[in-house]
Coordinates of all heavy atoms in Angstrom, one line a residue:
D1 N -3.7 0.0 12.8 CA -4.5 0.6 11.7 C -3.8 1.9 11.3 O -3.9 2.9 12.0 CB -5.9 0.9 12.2 CG -6.8 1.4 11.2 OD1 -6.5 1.8 10.1 OD2 -8.1 1.6 11.5
I2 N -3.3 2.0 10.1 CA -2.6 3.2 9.7 C -3.5 4.4 9.4 O -3.0 5.5 9.3 CB -1.7 3.0 8.5 CG1 -2.5 2.7 7.2 CG2 -0.7 1.8 8.7 CD1 -1.7 2.9 5.9
S3 N -4.8 4.2 9.4 CA -5.7 5.3 9.1 C -5.6 6.3 10.3 O -6.0 7.4 10.1 CB -7.1 4.9 8.9 OG -7.6 4.2 10.1
A4 N -5.1 5.8 11.4 CA -5.0 6.7 12.6 C -3.6 7.5 12.7 O -3.4 8.2 13.6 CB -5.1 5.9 13.9
Y5 N -2.7 7.3 11.6 CA -1.4 7.8 11.6 C -1.1 8.6 10.3 O -1.4 8.1 9.4 CB -0.4 6.6 11.7 CG -0.4 5.8 12.9 CD1 -1.3 4.8 13.2 CD2 0.4 6.2 14.0 CE1 -1.3 4.0 14.3 CE2 0.5 5.5 15.2 CZ -0.4 4.4 15.4 OH -0.5 3.6 16.5
I6 N -0.5 9.7 10.6 CA 0.3 10.3 9.6 C 1.4 9.3 9.3 O 2.0 8.8 10.2 CB 0.9 11.7 10.1 CG1 -0.2 12.7 10.2 CG2 1.9 12.2 9.1 CD1 0.2 14.0 10.9
M7 N 1.8 9.2 8.1 CA 2.8 8.3 7.7 C 4.0 9.0 7.1 O 3.8 10.0 6.3 CB 2.4 7.2 6.7 CG 1.2 6.3 7.3 SD 1.8 5.3 8.8 CE 2.9 4.2 8.0
H8 N 5.2 8.5 7.3 CA 6.4 9.1 6.8 C 7.3 8.1 6.0 O 7.2 6.9 6.3 CB 7.4 9.6 8.0 CG 6.8 10.6 8.9 ND1 7.3 10.9 10.2 CD2 5.9 11.6 8.7 CE1 6.7 11.8 10.7 NE2 5.9 12.2 9.8
W9 N 7.9 8.7 5.0 CA 9.2 7.9 4.5 C 10.4 8.7 4.8 O 10.5 9.9 4.7 CB 9.0 7.8 2.9 CG 8.1 6.7 2.5 CD1 6.9 7.0 2.0 CD2 8.4 5.3 2.4 NE1 6.3 5.7 1.7 CE2 7.2 4.8 1.8 CE3 9.5 4.5 2.7 CZ2 7.1 3.4 1.6 CZ3 9.4 3.2 2.4 CH2 8.2 2.6 1.9
Y10 N 11.3 7.9 5.4 CA 12.7 8.5 5.6 C 13.7 7.7 4.8 O 13.4 6.6 4.3 CB 13.1 8.3 7.1 CG 12.5 9.2 8.2 CD1 11.2 9.0 8.7 CD2 13.2 10.3 8.7 CE1 10.6 9.8 9.6 CE2 12.5 11.1 9.6 CZ 11.3 10.9 10.1 OH 10.9 11.7 11.0
R11 N 14.9 8.4 4.7 CA 16.0 7.6 4.1 C 17.3 7.9 4.8 O 17.4 8.9 5.5 CB 16.1 7.8 2.6 CG 16.6 9.3 2.2 CD 16.5 9.5 0.8 NE 17.0 10.9 0.4 CZ 16.9 11.4 -0.8 NH1 16.4 10.7 -1.8 NH2 17.4 12.6 -1.0
Q12 N 18.2 7.0 4.7 CA 19.6 7.2 5.3 C 20.6 6.6 4.3 O 20.7 5.5 4.0 CB 19.6 6.5 6.6 CG 21.0 6.8 7.4 CD 20.9 6.5 8.8 OE1 20.2 5.8 9.3 NE2 21.7 7.2 9.6
A13 N 21.5 7.5 3.9 CA 22.6 7.2 3.0 C 23.8 6.8 3.8 O 23.9 7.3 4.9 CB 22.9 8.3 2.0
P14 N 24.8 6.1 3.3 CA 26.0 5.8 4.0 C 26.7 7.1 4.5 O 26.9 8.0 3.6 CB 26.8 5.1 3.0 CG 25.7 4.4 2.1 CD 24.7 5.4 2.0
G15 N 27.0 7.2 5.7 CA 27.7 8.4 6.3 C 26.9 9.7 6.4 O 27.4 10.7 6.7
K16 N 25.7 9.5 6.2 CA 24.7 10.7 6.3 C 23.7 10.4 7.4 O 23.4 9.3 7.8 CB 24.0 10.9 5.0 CG 24.9 11.2 3.8 CD 25.6 12.5 3.8 CE 26.4 12.7 2.6 NZ 27.1 14.0 2.7
R17 N 23.1 11.6 7.9 CA 22.1 11.5 8.8 C 20.7 11.0 8.2 O 20.5 11.3 6.9 CB 21.9 12.8 9.6 CG 21.5 14.0 8.7 CD 21.5 15.3 9.4 NE 20.4 15.3 10.4 CZ 19.2 15.8 10.1 NH1 18.8 16.2 8.8 NH2 18.2 15.8 11.0
R18 N 19.9 10.4 9.0 CA 18.6 10.0 8.4 C 17.8 11.3 8.1 O 17.7 12.2 8.9 CB 17.9 9.1 9.4 CG 16.5 8.7 9.0 CD 15.9 7.7 10.0 NE 15.8 8.3 11.3 CZ 15.3 7.7 12.3 NH1 15.0 6.4 12.2 NH2 15.3 8.3 13.4
E19 N 17.1 11.3 7.0 CA 16.3 12.5 6.7 C 14.9 12.1 6.3 O 14.6 11.1 5.7 CB 17.0 13.2 5.4 CG 17.1 12.5 4.2 CD 17.6 13.2 3.0 OE1 17.4 14.5 3.1 OE2 18.1 12.7 2.1
L20 N 13.9 13.0 6.6 CA 12.6 12.8 6.2 C 12.4 13.2 4.8 O 12.8 14.3 4.4 CB 11.7 13.7 7.1 CG 10.1 13.6 6.8 CD1 9.5 12.3 7.1 CD2 9.5 14.7 7.7
V21 N 11.9 12.4 4.0 CA 11.8 12.7 2.5 C 10.3 13.0 2.2 O 9.9 13.7 1.2 CB 12.3 11.6 1.6 CG1 13.7 11.5 1.9 CG2 11.6 10.3 1.7
A22 N 9.3 12.4 2.9 CA 7.9 12.6 2.5 C 7.0 12.3 3.7 O 7.3 11.4 4.5 CB 7.5 11.8 1.3
L23 N 5.9 12.9 3.8 CA 4.8 12.5 4.7 C 3.5 12.6 4.0 O 3.3 13.5 3.2 CB 4.9 13.3 6.0 CG 4.8 14.9 6.0 CD1 3.3 15.3 6.1 CD2 5.5 15.6 7.1
I24 N 2.5 12.0 4.6 CA 1.1 12.1 4.2 C 0.2 12.1 5.2 O 0.4 11.4 6.3 CB 0.9 10.9 3.1 CG1 -0.5 11.0 2.5 CG2 1.1 9.6 3.9 CD1 -0.6 10.1 1.3
S25 N -0.9 12.8 5.2 CA -1.9 12.9 6.2 C -2.6 11.6 6.3 O -2.6 10.7 5.4 CB -2.8 14.1 5.9 OG -3.5 14.0 4.6
T26 N -3.5 11.5 7.4 CA -4.1 10.3 7.7 C -5.0 9.7 6.6 O -5.0 8.4 6.5 CB -5.0 10.4 9.0 OG1 -5.8 11.5 8.9 CG2 -4.0 10.6 10.2

């Protein structure tokens, strides 16, 4: 149940580290 979770979007480009791009409260 995602209502119990803060949710994130990450992205990873070729040759780059994964980065957090957005988050949203529960």
Side-chain angles (χ1 to χ4, degrees):
D1 181 358
I2 69 162
S3 68
Y5 293 86
I6 292 171
M7 298 296 292
H8 296 159
W9 283 99
Y10 283 83
R11 68 186 182 187
Q12 188 163 25
K16 302 291 185 179
R17 61 186 292 271
R18 184 174 57 184
E19 64 174 336
L20 177 66
V21 299
L23 64 84
I24 187 167
S25 59
T26 54

